[in-house]
Amino acid sequence: MDAQAGVAPVNGAGLEDETRQLALLIRSVNDYAIYMLDPEGYIRTWNPGGERIKGYAEGEIIGSHFSRFFTPEDVATRLPYRALEAAREQGKFEGEGWRVRKDGTRFWASVVIDPIWRGGELIGFAKVTRDITERHQAQLRLQETQVQLAHAQKMEAVGKLTLGLAHDFNNLLAVMVNCLELIDIRPGADARMHELVSVAQRAADRGTLLTRQLLSFGCGHPMAMERHPVESLLQASMELYRRACGGHISFHDELGRTGEIDVDCGQLEAAILNLIVNARDACREGGAVRLRSSIWEGRSPYAPEEAPRAYARIEVADSGPGMEAEVAARAFEPFFTTKTVGQGSGLGLSQVFGFATQSGGFAIITSEPGRGCIVALCLPLVREQAHVQ
Ligand SMILES: Nc1ncnc2c1ncn2[C@@H]1O[C@H](COP(=O)(O)OP(=O)(O)OP(=O)(O)O)[C@@H](O)[C@H]1O
Ligand SMILES: [Mg+2]
């Protein structure tokens, strides 16, 4: 505690007795609100720490009920009264929570309430409050970073596993496709044989497509990088995107002016198509899908330790039902789908994720149930070779 220099002795007296010394000490404390309540919770004493933290001068707060420091939500659940009850019954109440200053702003408080007994009778409460907003916010930031780090590590581990499997399957499928071609051209094969071979070839082609998406997720797909202005790339495929949306949904392009990116154009088109098909599937009852582009400056949430830079942000937003938090948290994982068997393989968003990562950028989902969904691809802008200061 910081003792405030030059505080006048209580009632102009010296430090003769313990009570006066204690009162003087409390009145000199500046960074803790230390005050007394009567048994009903009305404020009886005040100190400079209370004024500094909560903004009320002694004259305007003495006699008020201490519930005025609580948020309306906490008052509605009777928290101030429950805190006093707990202090009375258990000998102490300790807690943390949001409190309200005189000017209406909120701070995160650490609170201790002790009951004061005299001859078996409760005569009031001693209350100590500290403003620990900065520590609380630092803790929240740390937790958020830890969650993001854990998610990034999980995606990296799943990516490595997927990449290994996808390479093996690719090789096996290549052998199968070659053998099927040889069987098909063998003399003497009848119509039934050709039919069976073509069914097997279609299945192998589908398998090849799936493994290609898995390779994309694992960042193992070879990238054919070319430099293009973002908006001309998007414009070039706009008709394809519009048609992918289907007739029951309105499609809008809202392209800003961003700049050039180094990108595999085929993979970018595949990623945007995956997002538009997802948006179309989500908007079963109709709705709107928007393809937007803009500049976004900041840090990748997957690499918060890196310096901020400028990205081309390409987003597909829909007015569909949105995602539950648990779905959004897992949506980029390969094979995660909420669609019925045959309707989705759960690989669309993993291709989007892998493509964005392999391009030096990242993908993020912003969605809430009932409030639509936005999936953004952030790809590094070429003009931004130097990092944003
Ligand atoms: N725009 C969206 N609105 C609501 N939920 C979505 C949206 N996009 C994706 N999802 C959810 O994320 C899940 C995973 O999407 P992803 O594209 O990876 O797979 P899929 O669409 O189910 O199958 P696939 O794309 O392989 O055909 C979806 O099953 C769905 O639950
Ligand atoms: Mg999909």
Side-chain angles (χ1 to χ4, degrees):
M1 294 184 202
D2 289 344
Q4 202 183 41
V7 175
V10 181
N11 298 334
L15 303 178
E16 304 93 16
D17 59 46
E18 247 180 60
T19 316
R20 282 221 177 86
Q21 288 184 37
L22 188 62
L24 178 57
L25 176 70
I26 290 172
R27 290 189 66 171
S28 68
V29 171
N30 215 7
D31 52 359
Y32 285 63
I34 303 177
Y35 54 99
M36 287 198 40
L37 305 175
D38 72 10
E40 274 72 49
Y42 289 92
I43 298 160
R44 289 288 167 245
T45 67
W46 198 238
N47 79 331
E51 178 164 354
R52 194 180 69 80
I53 294 174
K54 307 194 190 205
Y56 295 95
E58 184 168 350
E60 59 185 334
I61 198 67
I62 300 273
S64 302
H65 196 266
F66 88 122
S67 58
R68 73 189 293 172
F69 306 134
F70 287 71
T71 63
E73 306 88 89
D74 285 343
V75 173
T77 62
R78 303 191 72 257
L79 180 62
Y81 305 95
R82 287 189 285 117
L84 293 187
E85 263 165 46
R88 190 169 43 228
E89 280 163 24
Q90 289 149 31
K92 190 182 243 350
F93 170 85
E94 282 182 85
E96 289 186 10
W98 289 112
R99 297 290 184 271
V100 186
R101 298 192 186 93
K102 182 182 171 186
D103 63 7
T105 55
R106 293 185 177 197
F107 66 99
W108 188 261
S110 156
V111 176
V112 179
I113 306 177
D114 286 287
I116 305 170
W117 303 95
R118 192 197 287 146
E121 185 197 352
L122 181 77
I123 56 164
F125 297 93
K127 189 163 180 302
V128 180
T129 303
R130 253 185 323 150
D131 179 350
I132 55 164
T133 312
E134 274 176 29
R135 195 176 83 189
H136 177 64
Q137 281 170 344
Q139 268 168 356
L140 288 183
R141 276 197 299 274
L142 184 66
Q143 276 167 10
E144 207 175 299
T145 312
Q146 282 168 341
V147 168
Q148 277 168 356
L149 189 67
H151 190 249
Q153 284 170 339
K154 178 173 133 185
M155 294 303 269
E156 201 186 324
V158 179
K160 278 191 187 140
L161 181 72
T162 308
L163 194 59
L165 281 173
H167 274 307
D168 287 351
F169 272 99
N170 228 13
N171 295 340
L172 296 174
L173 281 164
V175 175
M176 285 163 71
V177 167
N178 286 339
C179 290
L180 286 169
E181 274 168 14
L182 291 176
I183 293 170
D184 208 28
I185 54 172
R186 263 176 87 90
D190 60 10
R192 179 71 184 140
M193 172 74 93
H194 283 305
E195 200 183 312
L196 290 174
V197 167
S198 94
V199 171
Q201 275 169 332
R202 279 203 299 278
D205 287 346
R206 172 91 184 116
T208 308
L209 194 73
L210 289 179
T211 48
R212 215 173 287 155
Q213 281 176 301
L214 287 174
L215 282 174
S216 276
F217 172 71
C219 298
H221 204 280
M223 300 271 263
M225 300 301 247
E226 288 172 31
R227 184 164 293 186
H228 288 283
V230 175
E231 281 69 38
S232 37
L233 266 183
L234 298 179
Q235 282 295 357
S237 306
M238 202 60 84
E239 247 339 280
L240 181 69
Y241 301 146
R242 196 179 298 280
R243 270 187 279 121
C245 243
H248 69 299
I249 295 159
S250 61
F251 177 80
H252 309 268
D253 58 281
E254 297 168 1
L255 306 188
R257 275 169 62 86
T258 51
E260 290 186 319
I261 50 172
D262 286 327
V263 71
D264 181 321
C265 305
Q267 287 228 45
L268 174 67
E269 190 180 81
I272 296 175
L273 269 177
N274 274 325
L275 297 181
I276 290 182
V277 169
N278 278 354
R280 181 200 66 194
D281 291 350
C283 298
R284 290 195 186 286
E285 319 279 284
V289 174
R290 291 170 203 282
L291 175 63
R292 303 193 188 111
S293 66
S294 58
I295 295 177
W296 186 85
E297 288 183 5
R299 287 185 169 85
S300 160
Y302 295 97
E305 72 287 353
E306 282 178 14
R309 58 168 308 152
Y311 294 90
R313 182 184 164 103
I314 302 168
E315 62 180 41
V316 174
D318 68 66
S319 60
M323 297 187 207
E324 300 285 344
E326 307 80 68
V327 172
R330 298 196 53 198
F332 285 132
E333 289 175 19
F335 299 114
F336 177 83
T337 181
T338 56
K339 296 174 185 171
T340 50
V341 179
Q343 286 203 320
S345 51
L347 288 175
L349 284 180
S350 21
Q351 184 270 337
V352 171
F353 181 89
F355 158 70
T357 311
Q358 206 177 350
S359 309
F362 58 94
I364 38 171
I365 297 173
T366 314
S367 186
E368 269 178 56
R371 309 195 67 171
C373 175
I374 301 174
V375 185
L377 272 169
C378 293
L379 306 175
L381 275 169
V382 172
R383 71 170 177 79
E384 186 58 31
Q385 294 299 353
H387 288 151
V388 175
Q389 293 307 308

